[in-house]
Amino acid sequence: VVLPEGSDRAMIADRMQAAGVGTSVHFQPLHTFTWFEKHAEVGAGGTPIADATMHRALSLPLHAQIEPADVDRVCEALACALA
């Protein structure tokens, strides 16, 4: 998910963990990886959308056997963490 602007991602992840829902961060713009930093040419404006999203993206549980009730629990925990 992409959290609302101004959200404290670490605090939301902590709240989710306290509710028994693990989270992770999987999105990182390519130009921030070491190889790309050295070799990729990023234009004058950079990548503002990717850069902004980098600090707001949070990965939620997702797997082939996830049950609808689990999805509901994750969504409820996220709503509470954002409140």
Side-chain angles (χ1 to χ4, degrees):
V1 296
V2 178
L3 301 172
E5 285 190 41
S7 295
D8 182 338
R9 182 173 62 187
M11 179 190 67
I12 292 168
D14 288 345
R15 288 179 178 176
M16 297 284 288
Q17 184 66 39
V21 178
T23 62
S24 189
V25 175
H26 289 102
F27 176 74
Q28 181 178 348
L30 286 177
H31 71 278
T32 64
F33 285 91
T34 304
W35 187 90
F36 285 96
E37 284 179 341
K38 295 177 181 175
H39 299 95
E41 292 185 28
V42 176
T47 56
I49 294 173
D51 292 341
T53 303
M54 173 174 59
H55 302 290
R56 295 173 47 210
L58 184 67
S59 296
L60 303 178
L62 176 67
H63 54 84
Q65 285 81 33
I66 196 165
E67 297 289 332
D70 296 325
V71 173
D72 291 341
R73 189 171 67 82
V74 170
C75 291
E76 185 175 320
L78 179 59
C80 290
L82 288 168

